[in-house]
Amino acid sequence: MGKLMIKSQGNRVGEVTVKLGEMTIGRSPACDIVLKDDVSVSGEHAVIKTVGRKSTIEDLESTNGTFLENKRIGRHELRHGDTIIIGKHELRYRDVVELDTPAFNNRPAAPAPPPESTQEKTKIITAYAQLIALEGKDKGRSVPLVKEETVLDNPGKSPARISRTPNGYLLSAQAGPGEPRLNDKPVQPSGQLLENGDIIDVAGTRYQLHL
């Protein structure tokens, strides 16, 4: 059992203590961890199940998936340092030494914590941008832009590279037939900063950027 560190644009914006039992994650206000203002997150997107010191995250058949780094997962036992991506949010799991256990023999039990109010539920702001595949063989796929540089493969040609910079997301690619295109035009040699809704075509797949 441990904690989830919530990050937005590289800055920590929240921390959640993983509790015994189940904790739901999603956009619905009824969830234990609420990821609001993110249409790529399902109402009930995933659940963390904790028994003893073991915590497992399961995707609840969400529309856009749950990811460990850039790998889509259905079920995964959390380990120290794991980074889970849900929509535009990054949740980094960290082990802690403390573990809530029942009292044994004559050992006094710890006082029960006060009941959690709705206001105490975690509210997380938008974190990372993502690409959604609109057309092509990967239609429906979500690509979270969580790395310093995300590479979109383009077999036989140059790939599209999207870098996170202080000024935003920068797209770099070669110009020419079969090379990546931005909004149906060649990418400028010096690269181009992306805006919400931009369309990127790479290797027969058309992606739309969601900031």
Side-chain angles (χ1 to χ4, degrees), residues 172-187:
S172 301
Q174 298 292 327
E179 300 292 358
R181 295 174 68 84
L182 174 63
N183 298 326
D184 292 323
K185 296 180 181 178
V187 180

Side-chain angles (χ1 to χ4, degrees), residues 25-154:
I25 305 171
R27 200 170 73 247
S28 170
C31 290
D32 298 292
I33 302 175
V34 181
L35 306 180
K36 62 177 184 177
D37 301 329
D38 186 348
V39 296
S40 61
V41 176
S42 298
E44 290 191 356
H45 196 107
V47 61
I48 295 176
K49 298 180 179 180
T50 301
V51 179
R53 298 184 64 89
K54 179 180 177 181
S55 294
T56 302
I57 188 168
E58 294 183 16
D59 184 80
L60 297 177
E61 297 184 355
S62 63
T63 301
N64 292 311
T66 300
F67 293 81
L68 174 65
E69 299 293 346
N70 284 331
K71 179 183 178 181
R72 188 164 185 165
I73 57 174
R75 185 175 184 272
H76 174 75
E77 182 178 341
L78 292 170
R79 298 178 177 84
H80 182 76
D82 281 349
T83 298
I84 302 298
I85 306 299
I86 295 180
K88 301 176 183 179
H89 302 79
E90 176 183 317
L91 299 81
R92 184 179 296 273
Y93 181 78
R94 182 165 62 90
D95 283 328
V96 293
V97 176
E98 297 81 14
L99 176 66
D100 294 330
T101 56
F104 292 94
N105 300 327
N106 296 324
R107 187 181 303 171
E116 186 181 64
S117 67
T118 302
Q119 289 74 21
E120 290 175 320
K121 288 182 181 292
T122 303
K123 303 291 184 180
I124 308 300
I125 63 174
T126 296
Y128 293 100
Q130 64 177 338
L131 297 173
I132 301 295
L134 302 178
E135 300 175 8
K137 62 182 180 65
D138 293 324
K139 183 177 179 180
R141 177 191 178 198
S142 173
V143 182
L145 303 180
V146 298
K147 296 184 177 181
E148 291 300 318
E149 182 180 79
T150 299
V151 179
L152 301 176
D153 290 332
N154 189 19

Side-chain angles (χ1 to χ4, degrees), residues 141-202:
R141 177 191 178 198
S142 173
V143 182
L145 303 180
V146 298
K147 296 184 177 181
E148 291 300 318
E149 182 180 79
T150 299
V151 179
L152 301 176
D153 290 332
N154 189 19
K157 298 288 183 177
S158 300
R161 301 179 183 274
I162 301 176
S163 304
R164 290 172 51 207
T165 75
N167 296 320
Y169 293 90
L170 181 70
L171 173 65
S172 301
Q174 298 292 327
E179 300 292 358
R181 295 174 68 84
L182 174 63
N183 298 326
D184 292 323
K185 296 180 181 178
V187 180
Q188 295 178 6
S190 58
Q192 289 179 247
L193 286 174
L194 297 173
E195 298 181 358
N196 187 44
D198 277 347
I199 300 295
I200 302 171
D201 290 290
V202 184

